[in-house]
Amino acid sequence: MDQREDKPDPVPPDLPQELERALAAESRARGDIERLRQALEALTLENARLSNEVEKLTTVDALTGLHCRGQFDTASRIEFRRSLRFRLKLSVIMMDIDRLMRVNDGYGRIAGDKVLAGVADVCLRGIRMTDLHARYGGEEFCFLLPETDQKGAHVLAERLRTAVAGLRFQTDKRSFSVTVSVGIAERQSDTDSIERLLEQSDQALFKAKCEGRNRIVTWTEQVGKFWKPG
């Protein structure tokens, strides 16, 4: 039996330096990975933010904060079908700012924009979270009120009409106020589409304008007969 003692291989003199370099390289790699992770996370958040901004541009009117017509049309069809299925009340308020063109001509379009934004703000603060809203035309706003009959819609419309009349707008020439005309329609048992309900509220609005503005008209069959397209 060999009685010689086994001796460990001698440690290369440069091994500690190699280990130190390897540990340093590993540390740098971990740092690079962490920086890449953070960069990816920041990029993901930025993409989400941009996507949200793009969605807002396509669904929300930048001036008024009300939904755009397309977004409203889609949501209102869904709400109309829900009201039919569960036999729920459903009403529409169609609102038009009276003589906004005179504001634009007399004080400038910037003043007209301030009126649009101010009236929209009053309306947004006055309606419920569940109500649908839209800038339906140039100076025309539309509100769809789920589970609301024409009496409830009239109460809300009067509150909004009064609030708008109380607004004051300031220009370098003088201050002024505006009024709104409002048409209301409630879904009837024979109302077969959201388009028909919106048409009825528009007919009521037309009559309100013809009767002198700054008033509310609720749709009836007589109002429908008064309507003269074109």
Side-chain angles (χ1 to χ4, degrees), residues 67 72 75-76 79 127-128 130-134 142-146:
H67 284 134
F72 177 85
S76 63
E79 193 58 52
I127 63 176
R128 304 169 300 181
T130 54
D131 296 332
L132 303 182
H133 53 81
C142 187
F143 307 97
L144 187 69
L145 315 177

Side-chain angles (χ1 to χ4, degrees), residues 22-75:
L23 290 173
E26 181 184 10
S27 178
R28 288 193 298 272
R30 289 180 182 275
D32 290 341
I33 291 172
E34 178 60 20
R35 284 190 290 273
L36 287 172
R37 186 194 66 78
Q38 292 176 358
L40 180 59
E41 183 178 295
L43 183 60
T44 300
L45 290 174
E46 179 65 9
N47 285 339
R49 186 189 68 79
L50 291 174
S51 177
N52 186 54
E53 289 299 319
V54 169
E55 183 178 0
K56 283 184 178 180
L57 289 174
T58 59
T59 62
V60 176
D61 177 64
L63 177 61
T64 64
L66 298 169
H67 284 134
C68 296
R69 176 76 176 269
Q71 174 76 6
F72 177 85
D73 287 345
T74 299

Side-chain angles (χ1 to χ4, degrees), residues 36 41 43 51-52 58-59 64 73 78 82 88 107 117 121 171 181 195-197 199 209 215-216 227 229:
L36 287 172
E41 183 178 295
L43 183 60
S51 177
N52 186 54
T58 59
T59 62
T64 64
D73 287 345
I78 295 172
R82 190 177 79 90
L88 301 172
Y107 304 110
D121 180 63
T171 69
S181 298
E195 287 78 14
R196 177 57 180 156
L197 182 61
E199 180 184 29
K209 303 285 278 189
R215 66 193 63 219
I216 301 167
W227 168 255

Side-chain angles (χ1 to χ4, degrees), residues 86-101:
F86 298 105
R87 299 181 182 179
L88 301 172
K89 298 291 186 180
L90 184 66
S91 295
V92 171
I93 290 176
M94 195 73 75
M95 175 186 293
D96 188 86
I97 302 175
D98 297 326
R99 297 188 173 94
L100 184 62
M101 187 61 69

Side-chain angles (χ1 to χ4, degrees), residues 83-152:
S83 73
L84 287 178
R85 180 179 180 184
F86 298 105
R87 299 181 182 179
L88 301 172
K89 298 291 186 180
L90 184 66
S91 295
V92 171
I93 290 176
M94 195 73 75
M95 175 186 293
D96 188 86
I97 302 175
D98 297 326
R99 297 188 173 94
L100 184 62
M101 187 61 69
R102 289 188 182 180
V103 174
N104 290 331
D105 292 341
Y107 304 110
R109 192 160 296 277
I110 292 178
D113 287 348
K114 288 181 179 179
V115 170
L116 284 165
V119 173
D121 180 63
V122 164
C123 293
L124 285 172
R125 287 188 284 111
I127 63 176
R128 304 169 300 181
M129 292 288 292
T130 54
D131 296 332
L132 303 182
H133 53 81
R135 184 179 180 184
Y136 208 68
E139 60 261 24
E140 193 171 66
F141 302 157
C142 187
F143 307 97
L144 187 69
L145 315 177
E147 302 180 38
T148 305
D149 60 15
Q150 68 178 35
K151 182 178 179 180

